């Protein structure tokens, strides 16, 4: 049977409109971006993910209705969670299409970089780190909705980490000694993402001790001390 220019019934193939061609070309251009800026992609907005994905049982978190947080805050935390899981996905397979975009949010007044994970990479999804290997503190349960205070303690973090921990996501921890100890307690660490935390020489030494297995280290708005 002929494969050239014929429909399934043997008739002539339907012409493709210029708008369809433009749409297809635009989609192909976006899909061709394997790592980098994707201007025409809308960020994922999924604030309900924190209801679907309970916080790690080791932490003394507080279940809070998401509508009690200030407008935009839950989406901000969701974007940070997506960033962590995108880093983990890329480290697991550098061939994955990892992209980001920029979006203006009213709550901040400036454009924010937003990572664009595939659905199967996100928290508790098919290709995310296994729960027993992941310590993830990027969660609404660990934030006071009225004061913005972080509820994560160094003691809780150390209790959560163990020899099975290969992925560590830590949000807003000022106790650098506890952070260093937690890293040291982990097993063969593959990915570490630290957000708005204090990093001293002891933390760097702890990370150095995991260098033989560490694929990715991502620091977001951290404070480095000497």
């Amino acid at each position: 049977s002929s494969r050239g220019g014929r429909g399934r019934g043997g008739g002539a193939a339907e012409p493709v409109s210029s708008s369809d061609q433009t749409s297809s070309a635009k989609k192909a251009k976006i899909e061709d971006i394997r790592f980098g800026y994707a201007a025409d992609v809308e960020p994922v907005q999924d604030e309900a993910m924190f209801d679907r994905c309970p916080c790690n049982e080791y932490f003394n978190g507080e279940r809070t209705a998401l509508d009690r947080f200030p407008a935009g805050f839950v989406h901000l935390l969701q974007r940070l969670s997506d960033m962590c899981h995108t880093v983990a996905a890329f480290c697991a397979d550098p061939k994955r299409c990892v992209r980001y975009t920029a979006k203006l949010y009213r709550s901040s007044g400036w454009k924010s970089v937003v990572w664009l994970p595939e659905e199967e990479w996100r928290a508790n999804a098919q290709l995310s780190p296994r729960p027993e290997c992941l310590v993830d503190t990027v969660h609404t349960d660990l934030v006071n909705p009225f004061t913005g205070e972080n509820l994560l303690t160094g003691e809780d973090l150390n209790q959560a980490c163990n020899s099975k921990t290969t992925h560590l996501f830590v949000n807003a921890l000022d106790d650098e000694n506890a952070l260093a100890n937690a890293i040291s307690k982990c097993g063969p660490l593959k990915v570490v993402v630290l957000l708005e935390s204090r990093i001293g020489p002891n933390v760097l030494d702890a990370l150095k001790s995991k260098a033989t297995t560490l694929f990715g280290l991502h620091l977001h708005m951290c404070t480095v001390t000497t």
Side-chain angles (χ1 to χ4, degrees), residues 136-159:
D136 182 1
T137 72
V138 185
H139 203 287
T140 53
D141 289 358
L142 296 177
V143 180
N144 184 308
F146 306 108
T147 66
E149 177 188 5
N150 182 41
L151 304 178
L152 174 66
T153 68
E155 181 180 359
D156 288 342
L157 180 64
N158 273 269
Q159 290 180 356

Side-chain angles (χ1 to χ4, degrees), residues 62-214:
E62 299 178 0
R63 297 296 292 164
T64 304
L66 299 180
D67 59 6
R68 301 183 74 177
F69 287 91
F73 180 83
V74 176
H75 182 48
L76 167 63
L77 210 58
Q78 175 233 309
R79 300 198 307 269
L80 294 176
S81 174
D82 285 345
M83 176 187 73
C84 294
H85 285 276
T86 300
V87 172
F90 180 70
C91 289
D93 183 359
K95 294 181 181 179
R96 287 174 175 162
C97 181
V98 177
R99 300 169 295 170
Y100 67 92
T101 190
K103 185 174 177 63
L104 178 64
Y105 290 97
R106 292 181 181 178
S107 57
S108 64
W110 61 78
K111 281 191 174 182
S112 299
V113 171
V114 185
W115 291 91
L116 303 166
E118 299 296 333
E119 190 62 34
E120 59 267 27
W121 303 347
R122 303 181 69 232
N124 282 20
Q126 180 182 0
L127 297 179
S128 64
R130 299 193 307 275
E132 66 272 18
C133 299
L134 170 66
V135 173
D136 182 1
T137 72
V138 185
H139 203 287
T140 53
D141 289 358
L142 296 177
V143 180
N144 184 308
F146 306 108
T147 66
E149 177 188 5
N150 182 41
L151 304 178
L152 174 66
T153 68
E155 181 180 359
D156 288 342
L157 180 64
N158 273 269
Q159 290 180 356
C161 294
N162 57 55
S163 60
K164 294 182 180 180
T165 306
T166 59
H167 291 70
L168 180 63
F169 305 156
V170 179
N171 183 39
L173 184 66
D174 287 334
D175 189 342
E176 58 190 72
N177 291 324
L179 178 56
N181 290 335
I183 292 171
S184 297
K185 286 186 65 177
C186 293
L189 272 176
K190 296 180 179 179
V191 177
V192 176
V193 183
L194 306 178
L195 307 91
E196 299 187 38
S197 298
R198 291 175 65 87
I199 302 173
N202 50 353
V203 174
L204 297 178
D205 286 341
L207 289 169
K208 182 180 178 180
S209 72
K210 305 294 182 179
T212 56
T213 60
L214 195 61

Side-chain angles (χ1 to χ4, degrees), residues 20-72:
D20 288 340
Q21 290 176 331
T22 301
S23 177
S24 297
K26 185 176 181 181
K27 181 178 179 181
K29 183 178 180 181
I30 292 173
E31 291 179 346
D32 282 343
I33 302 173
R34 291 209 165 271
F35 187 91
Y37 181 62
D40 300 317
V41 182
E42 188 67 18
V44 174
Q45 184 149 352
D46 180 21
E47 298 181 359
M49 63 165 283
F50 295 110
D51 283 335
R52 298 194 309 271
C53 306
C55 187
N56 191 300
E57 62 182 6
Y58 289 100
F59 303 121
N60 295 316
E62 299 178 0
R63 297 296 292 164
T64 304
L66 299 180
D67 59 6
R68 301 183 74 177
F69 287 91

